Amino acid sequence: MDVEAILGPRLTLRQLELFVAATDHSSFTAAAKHAFVTPNAVSLAVSDLERALGVTLLVRQRARGVTSTPAGVQLAEGARALLRQASDLQLTVGDHGEELSGPVAVGCYSTLAPTVVPELWERLADRHPEIELTITEGTTEHLVGQLHEGRLDCVVAYEVALPLGLAVRRLYNARPSVVLPESHRLAGQAAVDLTELEGEPLVLFDLPPSGQNTLHLLRSRGLRPRVAHRTTNFELVHSLVGRGMGFAVQYQHSGVDVSQEGRRLAFRPIAPEPESEPVMVAWPERLPLTSRAAAVVHLAQDCLPVAEQAC
């Protein structure tokens, strides 16, 4: 009896590993160097997968490498998840003791990173020293894309920007504050009513979703924001405010009250106090977390509420 004829050809983890390497490097040659095999071995693995699945996964272009077809993109996403789970299974069942070990890749929205990453990294090094944590910063859209591609285990971002289809856990609530130059007429107040800033120039931190959140907040208080400058550089916002070029609104306070030029800034709560913005950790709903990633998520839930006090 021909078992393969009944069940169909079986895929192997090695085939999937070489296929993922080819998609990541867009080249059989580069993938071969990464996997310490020959380019022909990578090509053969991909061809075997295509024959088994009955689809074209990669388009070969002479001297231009390879590009993924829609089927190839879909397989790569599932393959990365499967390879992570296989690695997790090996580390869990193998003779490695009870200590969790291995890589965990976390994405973090850029402005949250200065508060979130150091606390998480330090606690993780103390509690799970064998876990190898890597951090990727960027916009929520970029990070969620990498999450669905299987390049990240989870992401930390504001809830407002997260799409449907993700499992989420709340970490803490971020509260917006006004950033003023120390010499501003309102800098000495305990809190600032946004209506007192009507007509003044706004330095807008415009990395999604922060820009839209700020504009929505100002408009909800009856202001017509006069945007003097837009930037995705957090430190440039502080430098411009420090020079008196306008005020800013930010949802994350790093605890440093001076710009990089050494000009003092005043961070003041907003009155009346607006709704806070939940900061969440998220991962694909349909993909289980590895035991290592689950440990990182649980640790984040334990240790990151302290960030709420710094907002």
Side-chain angles (χ1 to χ4, degrees):
M1 179 182 297
D2 189 344
V3 175
E4 185 172 293
I6 297 176
L7 299 179
R10 297 184 180 182
L11 312 185
T12 70
L13 291 177
R14 185 55 170 168
Q15 288 172 336
L16 294 174
E17 184 180 16
L18 295 179
F19 165 69
V20 168
T23 62
D24 286 345
H25 295 276
S26 300
S27 162
F28 288 158
T29 301
K33 291 180 180 178
H34 172 79
F36 302 102
V37 296
T38 65
N40 187 58
V42 178
S43 177
L44 182 60
V46 173
S47 295
D48 286 344
L49 286 174
E50 290 176 325
R51 185 164 47 255
L53 297 172
V55 295
T56 299
L57 300 172
L58 298 177
V59 177
R60 287 81 159 167
Q61 297 174 302
R62 188 178 296 276
R64 294 180 60 184
V66 297
T67 56
S68 297
T69 65
V73 172
Q74 183 180 11
L75 179 63
E77 178 183 333
R80 290 189 184 97
L82 183 59
L83 290 169
R84 284 203 310 272
Q85 291 175 41
S87 173
D88 188 50
L89 183 63
Q90 180 183 9
L91 291 168
T92 302
V93 177
D95 185 17
H96 300 280
E98 297 182 359
E99 178 60 51
L100 292 171
S101 63
V104 174
V106 176
C108 190
Y109 180 67
S110 294
T111 62
L112 296 174
T115 301
V116 167
V117 172
E119 183 73 21
L120 181 59
W121 214 316
E122 183 177 27
R123 298 293 187 93
L124 188 66
D126 180 60
R127 193 171 302 182
H128 300 293
E130 298 303 315
I131 289 181
E132 303 162 15
L133 182 66
T134 58
I135 302 292
T136 299
E137 299 176 45
T139 65
T140 304
E141 181 181 11
H142 173 70
L143 296 174
V144 169
Q146 292 207 321
L147 189 67
H148 284 310
E149 291 174 2
R151 300 176 189 275
L152 297 174
D153 291 289
C154 58
V155 299
V156 176
Y158 290 112
E159 182 180 41
V160 67
L162 291 171
L164 298 176
L166 297 177
V168 296
R169 298 290 185 274
R170 192 187 77 86
L171 298 178
Y172 63 92
N173 290 328
R175 294 181 172 82
S177 59
V178 174
V179 189
L180 303 167
E182 188 181 43
S183 59
H184 194 278
R185 58 187 174 83
L186 302 177
Q189 297 185 180
V192 173
D193 189 323
L194 292 176
T195 59
E196 297 182 85
L197 294 167
E198 176 65 56
E200 295 196 21
L202 169 67
V203 179
L204 183 66
F205 179 67
D206 206 15
L207 188 71
S210 293
Q212 285 301 112
N213 285 351
T214 296
L215 294 176
H216 175 74
L217 173 61
L218 294 173
R219 288 166 180 157
S220 71
R221 299 295 172 93
L223 278 73
R224 292 169 294 177
R226 183 162 69 87
V227 180
H229 190 78
R230 296 173 184 262
T231 179
T232 58
N233 186 315
F234 205 53
E235 292 302 332
L236 180 55
V237 171
H238 290 170
S239 293
L240 292 174
V241 171
R243 284 178 173 266
M245 306 298 289
F247 73 95
V249 174
Q250 69 178 54
Y251 284 77
Q252 195 76 4
H253 186 192
S254 64
V256 179
D257 294 341
V258 295
S259 71
Q260 286 196 346
E261 295 180 308
R263 299 173 187 266
R264 298 201 64 81
L265 303 170
F267 294 82
R268 295 293 177 263
I270 295 172
E273 184 176 324
E275 290 186 8
S276 58
E277 182 60 46
V279 175
M280 316 294 284
V281 58
W283 62 93
E285 202 169 41
R286 57 188 177 76
L287 296 176
L289 288 170
T290 65
S291 57
R292 303 186 303 278
V296 172
V297 168
H298 292 154
L299 184 60
Q301 290 181 278
D302 288 343
C303 76
L304 291 183
V306 300
E308 187 170 3
Q309 303 168 14
C311 295

